Amino acid sequence: MREVRGAEVPGPRSGRRKGAEPEPPPTRRGRRPVKKKSKAKKVLAWTAGGTAFVLVAVGTAGYLYLKHLEGNVTTTDVGDAAKNSFSKDDAFNILIIGTDKRTGKGNEGYGDSGSVGHADTNILLHVAKDRTNATALSIPRDLIVNVPDCETTQADDTKKIIPGTDGVRFNTSLGQEGRDPGCTMRTVKEVTGIEPDHFMMVDFNAVKTLTTAVGGVDVCLKHAVKDKQSHLDLPAGPSKIEGEQALAFVRTRHSWGNQGDLDRIKVQQQFMGSLMRKMSSSDTLTNPAKLIDLAEAATKALTVDKGIGKVSTLKDVALELKKVPPKNISFMTVPVVDNPAEKVHATVVVDKTRAPEVFDAIRNDVSFTEVKKKQKAAKDAAAARLKGSKSQPSEVRVRVLNGGAEAGSAQETLQWLQTQEGVLKSENAGNAPAELSRTTLEYAPDQAPQARELAALMGLPGSALKPGKSVTNSQGLPAMTLTLGKDFKGAGVSLTPPSKAPSVDKSTADKVQCAS
């Protein structure tokens, strides 16, 4: 990690500055009017530490300190694997990566001291558009995947394509052959169909520094643990851990369940929930010294993509995350089964029966907890657009544009509409002016019956229908505009999201659990 750069934080000044305005005279009751305190800027940052992510809130002293914190953060150029900016108005996905790189004081003795820094712990954090809920999906490091080809930026700013490999452990998507976090982001998309918008990455030091900064994290054990490999030594019941002991807790594998990585992930998730509760406690948020320690620890721990590389942007990310109630932050793991290609099951593969439903729910912003939707009125309005009379397929006139779907999708859809569904008054209008994350169908008021019919044929949700105006097609006749977005799955494949998330083994950030 980088050393701290920038100005020292100025200490408090005593007394009145020369030339400062005199204090106002006392009132008739002998009291001086209370001065309004200037609003302290709030810098919040989400980070991950080898195995955990936390919310860090910090009161700061102004611009110089902001720049000082910004100097702590390391950025990596991952090209188009990450977005160029952060939007406060949309759902977003952040891939949190904890590496096993043994840099930093006291870390050389852990496991493989020469590790290039693989993706040891991986959490895909999805935050809902309406901020009522979030899902933290753990991806096992020993999951067998196909790592795609990956373009990386070298030290001299040249580009290098690192060839992909099939049938390898997920953790090799980082570090191996010089792969960067962008390669891990692309692998996540390959496996889940969910596209990470940004990444945050840290090494072992983050767990130690963050837990020390908050004065320790409360954990609970169902049985005493004395682990020779990780050096964790804790009694049964509640304990408070920080520093080396905290790192040992999240690294311990042989003392939990079946002594495998999947059971360790569950313990790590319990640790995350406890750390998050400590971050948001009044004991932390009302202690200025502790907040500053947290700001230093968090920013020094982080490596992020350029799209969120500024502290002001990290603040925006964290403020959006802070809106999510802890009881609606769900922790879960990608559904997996033992790798059938192995006699001794050291690795796992995606469960093709259960996992697709989980991925689909996250892609479509469906909560895994019961929440009161802030956007219920908007959803009711979207559903109303689907109600009413419908035209016959032969009466539907539509132009099809590609706005971010796979190449050839507009032509594929056109052929499907004409040959399979009888929508003969349709045409391929080429590429849209801009890419869209979701497919839309724009129509004029008098075209509503046509829009409902096309939506029913294609499985479009009501939210995809956009009342507007018609355009003229190549024959000079009025037509609707269907723009295929990045969510388009193929001609004839419904885009209507599930109304309810599947039942999964999960925990939430507000629950206190004991590791077993």
Side-chain angles (χ1 to χ4, degrees), residues 71 180 274:
D180 66 12
S274 180

Side-chain angles (χ1 to χ4, degrees), residues 351-378:
D351 185 336
K352 294 182 179 179
T353 301
R354 296 181 297 143
E357 291 183 318
V358 173
F359 301 154
D360 198 37
I362 294 174
R363 270 196 307 271
N364 288 287
D365 211 19
V366 178
S367 176
F368 284 82
T369 58
E370 292 295 327
V371 296
K372 184 178 180 180
K373 292 290 185 182
K374 294 180 181 178
Q375 296 179 335
K376 187 176 185 301

Side-chain angles (χ1 to χ4, degrees), residues 444-514:
D446 62 347
Q447 294 170 323
Q450 293 184 46
R452 297 188 193 105
E453 176 63 20
L454 188 60
L457 293 174
M458 296 190 62
L460 298 179
S463 58
L465 274 61
K466 305 294 181 184
K469 59 182 181 180
S470 65
V471 296
T472 55
N473 62 13
S474 60
Q475 297 176 331
L477 299 172
M480 300 183 296
T481 300
L482 173 67
T483 306
L484 307 178
K486 293 181 180 179
D487 64 334
F488 184 71
K489 303 174 183 177
V493 181
S494 176
L495 290 177
T496 301
S499 59
K500 187 176 180 181
S503 177
V504 294
D505 182 16
K506 64 179 176 63
S507 61
T508 52
D510 64 320
K511 302 295 183 184
V512 177
Q513 294 181 295
C514 292

Side-chain angles (χ1 to χ4, degrees), residues 143-150 162-174 176-177 179 183 187 190-191:
L143 179 68
I144 296 299
V145 299
N146 295 333
V147 177
D149 293 347
C150 176
I162 300 176
T165 51
D166 293 344
V168 295
R169 294 178 191 241
F170 183 90
N171 67 345
T172 62
S173 64
L174 178 69
Q176 199 86 354
E177 310 298 334
R179 293 184 177 121
C183 301
T187 304
E190 180 87 8
V191 174

Side-chain angles (χ1 to χ4, degrees), residues 15-21:
R16 189 153 40 96
R17 293 184 292 105
K18 184 179 180 181
E21 293 183 8

Side-chain angles (χ1 to χ4, degrees), residues 189-252:
K189 182 180 179 182
E190 180 87 8
V191 174
T192 66
I194 304 167
E195 187 169 10
D197 300 312
H198 303 283
F199 83 88
M200 294 181 178
M201 181 176 71
V202 294
D203 61 15
F204 281 172
N205 275 337
V207 169
K208 296 194 291 186
T209 57
L210 288 168
T211 54
T212 298
V214 298
V217 173
D218 296 317
V219 297
C220 177
L221 279 69
K222 288 187 177 179
H223 58 80
V225 170
K226 193 166 186 176
D227 191 283
K228 293 181 180 179
Q229 282 84 0
S230 68
H231 307 297
L232 179 67
D233 188 357
L234 289 177
S239 294
K240 180 172 287 188
I241 58 176
E242 64 179 86
E244 295 287 347
Q245 193 80 313
L247 180 58
F249 184 85
V250 296
R251 288 189 65 249
T252 295

